[in-house]
């Protein structure tokens, strides 16, 4: 150690340089860096600010501890998943129990502990070097000049954060703001007036956009990791805010007498599956070779989702939230998970989707109601994401749990774009496909055939996954059932339609596949329910029916229940089905426009509240 301290200056500067290089680690993997110049500028500015504010490395070195601890995780994610640490990964890290970590890492836990110890040792030796090295202390008066300049820049940045950055179309609004802010600043008499004055100022010019690129700054090292921590904190607060809306809610649910036998119910929430691409529903390609062999499977032919977005559709599937309220964040009631818990079931939420983010946090609020919650996808929606078969082992673990009655929810990645990333090569049956194509141009109509083939291949893989789950249930000695429903569908350049994916108000996105599989034991226990279920197989249903049906499926009763929405009940009746298309359009009284089959209400759509 004494010899090391003799070279403390190059050791410190060299180590800090290596940490900064982590932002460009992807270059080693042969990948380009988006906005590399910005990231470099952010890093230079970060080091300058640290040195100016703390004066010497021995003080700001403590600020760098989170970045040092994150280094092995960042490298691991870059190597195996092609992306850096995100709020989703921070969520997994902070919420994974030691037992789950041991199951996931296995023998790698010792390697991880060794690397973590080595990183801490590196950081500690740098701290000793920083304490020993005095030549790096910023004694010169220029430090105060830099601090003044940085403070002025911070004020300007804060101003810009309030007024925004102009786009090419903002010229008219900018001029109107100037007229509104004609009152001299010296006549302002309160902070409220000053804040309003700032809000009325014109936005910054378009070139200032680079200064407010939070995404690029979050990818810089060493301070970018702190911004990712702040984003994670905001998402946690948002999740907590949504959860607080229904924290004290109770269904007062109980299971009716006569159900004192072991029961396992599995709910699979699909992703982006489209009704007419299932051969079960008449598609000419055999995309359901396994499910088509299941005799105890009741396939719904006319079920729709009200909205074509996961974060909005999943709450409708899992709660009593009306479709017309789906655009509002949160809900005052809990999901069927809590109703099952009240009735004595142990509940599981196993997900191959993301846990945090604009499109994921609302679903996580529901997932947190479960007794056991696991998010298994480290790769997001990239080519490094996990295939849905990653859910099979956790499903088996849940099935082996000692609890007599269980509800297991599986949230799959299903058929989300990029479709060729959703299945292994053995399922690349229809070609040409996008399998192995890096960054395909999905907006290029030349790829129309490959996009459609890849989508069908992903459906074929989904068929295998669902059949495997059913096989896992078949070996159980007790009553079991599985309900599958997709969150929404997809538009796929159909005919002359030049639209793809979702968010286009088309029938292809609203009409979804769904089915119920039941064990022989279930049929013996509930013969009337099976007869009623089959009678409602072709009924006009929506995802608003799922909650009520799932509780009625196992005779879970509660005050103000609505059996007229359950497909297992002889009291089922039709309700108007609204979809998010230019307002709330009546799906059953609408025109399907053109090859896109855009849903156009024949009357006036209901006004939407957001």
């Amino acid at each position: 150690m004494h010899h090391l301290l003799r070279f403390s200056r190059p050791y410190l500067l060299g180590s800090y340089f290596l940490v900064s290089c982590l932002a460009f680690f992807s270059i080693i993997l042969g990948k380009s860096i988006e906005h590399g110049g910005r990231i470099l500028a952010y890093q230079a500015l970060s080091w300058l600010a640290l040195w100016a504010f703390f004066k010497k490395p021995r003080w700001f070195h403590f600020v760098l501890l989170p970045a040092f601890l994150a280094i092995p995780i960042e490298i691991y994610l870059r190597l195996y998943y092609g992306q850096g640490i995100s709020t989703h990964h921070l969520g997994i890290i902070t919420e994974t129990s030691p037992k789950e970590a041991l199951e996931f890492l296995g023998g790698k836990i010792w390697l991880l502990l060794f690397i973590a110890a080595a990183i801490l040792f590196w950081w500690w030796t740098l701290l000793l070097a920083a304490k020993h090295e005095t030549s790096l202390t910023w004694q010169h008066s220029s430090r105060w000049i830099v601090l003044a300049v940085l403070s002025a820049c911070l004020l300007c940045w804060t101003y810009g954060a309030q007024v925004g950055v102009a786009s090419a179309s903002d010229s008219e609004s900018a001029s109107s703001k100037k007229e509104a802010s004609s009152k001299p600043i010296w006549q302002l008499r309160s902070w409220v007036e000053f804040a309003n004055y700032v809000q009325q100022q014109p936005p910054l010019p378009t070139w200032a956009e680079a200064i407010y690129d939070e995404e690029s700054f979050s990818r810089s090292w060493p301070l970018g990791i702190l911004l990712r921590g702040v984003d994670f904190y905001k998402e946690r607060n948002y999740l907590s805010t949504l959860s607080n809306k229904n924290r004290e809610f109770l269904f007062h649910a109980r299971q009716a007498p006569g159900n004192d036998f072991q029961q396992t119910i599995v709910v699979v929430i699909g992703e982006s599956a489209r009704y007419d691409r299932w051969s079960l529903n008449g598609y000419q390609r055999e995309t359901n070779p396994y499910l088509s062999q299941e005799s105890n499977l009741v396939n719904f032919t006319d079920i729709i989702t009200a909205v074509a977005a996961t974060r909005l559709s999943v709450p409708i599937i899992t709660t009593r939230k009306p479709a017309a309220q789906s655009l509002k964040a949160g809900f005052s009631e809990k999901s069927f998970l809590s109703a099952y818990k009240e009735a004595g079931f142990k509940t599981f939420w196993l997900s191959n989707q993301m846990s945090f983010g604009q499109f994921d946090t609302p679903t996580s609020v529901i997932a947190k109601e479960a007794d056991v919650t696991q998010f298994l996808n480290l790769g997001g929606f990239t080519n490094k994401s996990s295939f849905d078969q990653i859910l099979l082992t956790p499903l088996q673990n849940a099935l082996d749990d000692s609890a007599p009655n269980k509800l297991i929810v599986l949230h799959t990645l299903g058929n989300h774009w990029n479709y060729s990333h959703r299945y292994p090569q053995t399922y690349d049956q229809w070609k040409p496909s996008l399998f192995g194509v890096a960054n395909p141009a999905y907006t290029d109509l030349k790829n129309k055939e490959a996009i459609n083939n890849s989508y069908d291949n992903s459906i074929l893989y989904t068929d295998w996954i669902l059949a495997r789950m059913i096989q896992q249930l078949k070996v159980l000695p007790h009553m079991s059932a599985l309900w599958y429903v997709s969150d929404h569908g997809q538009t796929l350049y159909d005919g002359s339609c030049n639209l793809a994916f979702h968010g286009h108000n088309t029938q292809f996105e609203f009409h979804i596949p769904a089915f119920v599989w039941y064990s022989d034991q279930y049929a013996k226990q509930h013969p009337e329910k099976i007869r009623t279920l089959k009678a409602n197989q072709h009924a006009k249903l929506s995802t608003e029916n799922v909650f009520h049906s799932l509780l009625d499926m196992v005779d879970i009763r509660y005050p103000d229940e609505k059996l007229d929405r359950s497909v297992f009940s002889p009291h089922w009746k039709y309700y108007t089905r609204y979809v998010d298309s230019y307002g709330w359009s009546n799906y059953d009284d609408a025109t399907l426009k053109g090859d896109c089959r855009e849903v156009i209400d024949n009357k006036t759509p209901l006004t939407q509240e957001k």
Side-chain angles (χ1 to χ4, degrees):
M1 185 64 68
H2 177 73
H3 295 291
L4 181 62
L5 293 178
R6 291 173 54 192
F7 302 98
S8 57
R9 179 168 178 163
Y11 180 52
L12 267 174
L13 296 179
S15 295
Y16 290 162
F17 175 75
L18 284 175
V19 172
S20 296
C21 287
L22 195 56
F24 300 91
F25 183 78
S26 294
I27 294 177
I28 300 175
L29 306 177
K31 299 179 180 179
S32 59
I33 303 293
E34 187 178 8
H35 300 310
R38 292 185 187 180
I39 295 174
L40 198 62
Y42 283 136
Q43 293 190 160
L45 190 62
S46 297
W47 284 114
L48 184 67
L50 282 172
W51 234 294
F53 186 81
F54 289 97
K55 191 177 180 178
K56 55 182 68 176
R58 67 175 298 177
W59 298 125
F60 70 68
H61 190 65
F62 290 96
V63 179
L64 303 181
L65 181 57
F68 273 82
L69 293 175
I71 287 173
I73 302 170
E74 179 79 8
I75 293 175
Y76 175 79
L77 291 172
R78 290 286 177 193
L79 282 174
Y80 295 101
Y81 295 95
Q83 57 183 292
I85 299 172
S86 67
T87 53
H88 167 64
H89 298 120
L90 291 175
I92 291 177
I93 292 168
T94 58
E95 296 178 12
T96 299
S97 68
K99 180 181 178 182
E100 290 170 349
L102 285 171
E103 290 176 353
F104 180 75
L105 293 169
K108 295 178 183 177
I109 187 69
W110 301 111
L111 176 61
L112 181 63
L113 290 174
F114 172 77
I115 293 173
I119 291 290
L120 283 173
F121 179 75
W122 181 26
W123 180 87
W124 178 69
T125 58
L126 287 171
L127 178 62
L128 294 180
K131 290 180 177 179
H132 180 266
E133 184 56 56
T134 58
S135 65
L136 293 177
T137 301
W138 198 339
Q139 302 281 11
H140 196 267
S141 58
S142 59
R143 172 172 170 260
W144 296 105
I145 298 173
V146 170
L147 283 172
V149 172
L150 288 174
S151 299
C153 290
L154 180 61
L155 286 174
C156 293
W157 186 91
T158 304
Y159 168 82
Q162 292 296 317
V163 302
V165 178
S167 62
S169 60
D170 283 342
S171 56
E172 293 183 7
S173 61
S175 61
S176 64
K177 281 190 176 184
K178 287 180 180 178
E179 293 176 6
S181 59
S182 57
K183 186 176 181 179
I185 192 172
W186 56 82
Q187 293 183 8
L188 304 177
R189 297 182 178 180
S190 68
W191 282 109
V192 174
E193 286 189 6
F194 178 75
N196 291 333
Y197 175 86
V198 171
Q199 288 288 347
Q200 293 171 356
Q201 300 311 300
L204 297 179
T206 53
W207 57 261
E209 183 270 334
I211 304 174
Y212 297 90
D213 185 1
E214 290 188 9
E215 173 60 28
S216 293
F217 181 76
S218 69
R219 290 189 284 118
S220 69
W221 283 78
L223 295 189
I225 189 67
L226 299 181
L227 180 60
R228 278 170 273 184
V230 170
D231 288 341
F232 171 67
Y233 176 76
K234 289 179 179 177
E235 288 295 335
R236 286 298 301 270
N237 278 348
Y238 178 48
L239 190 152
S240 178
T241 299
L242 294 180
S243 298
N244 284 336
K245 289 189 174 185
N246 59 29
R247 190 175 301 278
E248 303 301 323
F249 179 82
L250 288 173
F251 288 100
H252 301 288
R254 58 177 178 80
Q255 197 166 25
N259 288 275
D260 52 347
F261 43 82
Q262 196 168 355
Q263 304 157 78
T264 297
I265 303 298
V266 173
V267 179
V268 183
I269 301 176
E271 168 69 56
S272 302
R274 176 170 146 168
Y275 175 85
D276 66 349
R277 291 302 181 91
W278 285 41
S279 56
L280 277 178
N281 302 320
Y283 189 44
Q284 68 274 19
R285 285 178 170 174
E286 193 177 11
T287 52
N288 300 119
Y290 294 106
L291 291 179
S292 61
Q293 298 176 31
E294 297 296 338
S295 57
N296 288 3
L297 188 147
V298 178
N299 183 43
F300 298 112
T301 60
D302 193 1
I303 183 169
I304 65 166
T305 180
V307 282
T310 302
R311 68 186 178 91
L312 303 177
S313 63
V314 170
I316 298 176
I317 292 171
T318 56
T319 73
R320 294 193 292 185
K321 187 175 188 178
Q325 292 184 26
S326 61
L327 304 186
K328 295 181 179 179
F331 186 49
S332 59
E333 296 184 4
K334 291 184 178 180
S335 74
F336 60 67
L337 286 155
S338 290
Y340 266 77
K341 285 173 69 174
E342 290 180 26
F345 283 69
K346 184 171 184 179
T347 56
F348 301 77
W349 184 285
L350 311 174
S351 176
N352 194 27
Q353 294 224 7
M354 307 285 277
S355 57
F356 287 103
Q358 177 185 359
F359 305 110
D360 306 290
T361 302
T363 301
S364 293
V365 174
I366 297 165
K368 297 301 179 187
E369 294 179 28
D371 295 306
V372 178
T373 304
Q374 284 184 276
F375 288 91
L376 302 163
N377 184 358
L378 291 176
F381 299 106
T382 69
N383 62 338
K384 301 293 185 179
S385 61
S386 308
F387 297 134
D388 280 334
Q389 63 196 62
I390 198 174
L391 294 167
L392 297 178
T393 298
L395 170 59
Q396 190 59 52
N397 293 338
L399 294 175
D400 293 339
D401 189 274
S402 59
N405 295 337
K406 294 181 281 286
L407 169 71
I408 306 166
V409 181
L410 302 160
H411 194 188
T412 67
L413 204 51
N415 316 106
H416 192 286
W417 173 263
N418 178 338
Y419 312 129
S420 63
H421 294 165
R422 303 297 155 247
Y423 57 87
Q425 190 170 5
T426 51
Y427 285 86
D428 194 37
Q429 178 168 324
W430 291 288
K431 300 175 182 178
S433 72
L434 298 176
F435 196 90
V437 178
N439 302 317
Y442 60 84
T443 55
D444 189 345
L445 286 176
K446 293 179 181 178
N447 288 327
K448 176 178 177 178
E449 182 181 8
I451 288 173
N452 276 271
N453 286 338
S454 296
Y455 184 79
D456 287 350
N457 291 333
S458 73
I459 297 291
L460 182 65
Y461 176 68
T462 294
D463 176 74
W464 177 78
I465 288 292
L466 292 171
R468 280 290 305 273
M469 293 174 178
I470 290 173
Q471 291 304 315
Q472 288 176 272
L473 293 178
K474 280 184 176 181
V475 300
L476 297 177
H478 58 265
M479 187 195 90
S480 63
L482 180 147
W483 183 303
Y484 170 86
V485 60
S486 181
D487 59 355
H488 57 79
Q490 293 278 272
T491 303
L492 293 166
Y493 295 128
D494 300 275
S496 62
C497 180
N498 291 328
L499 299 176
F501 308 127
H502 56 275
H504 305 301
N505 309 331
T506 72
Q507 184 192 42
F508 302 120
E509 299 169 19
F510 296 130
H511 193 188
I512 55 173
F515 68 80
V516 171
W517 173 87
Y518 56 90
S519 67
D520 292 336
Q521 296 95 323
Y522 183 93
K524 290 178 182 178
Q525 294 289 344
H526 300 290
E528 289 299 324
K529 290 186 184 296
I530 294 300
R531 277 193 284 272
T532 306
L533 172 68
K534 291 180 177 179
N536 289 326
Q537 180 177 3
H538 306 295
K540 296 181 183 298
L541 305 172
S542 76
T543 50
E544 288 183 275
N545 293 105
V546 176
F547 175 95
H548 307 278
S549 301
L550 278 172
L551 269 64
D552 185 29
M553 189 178 195
V554 290
D555 285 330
I556 292 178
R557 300 289 170 238
Y558 54 100
D560 72 345
E561 64 182 1
K562 293 182 172 59
L563 291 177
D564 57 359
R565 284 189 176 273
S566 168
V567 295
F568 293 95
S569 171
H571 303 294
W572 178 89
K573 68 178 182 180
Y574 168 80
Y575 281 86
T576 302
R577 300 189 294 177
Y578 292 105
V579 295
D580 177 21
S581 184
Y582 306 105
W584 292 117
S585 294
N586 184 342
Y587 181 83
D588 297 310
D589 186 17
T591 300
L592 303 179
K593 181 180 176 182
D595 282 353
C596 291
R597 302 181 73 80
E598 191 177 17
V599 178
I600 306 296
D601 199 317
N602 291 327
K603 297 175 182 177
T604 303
L606 301 180
T607 303
Q608 293 177 328
E609 297 180 16
K610 300 182 180 180

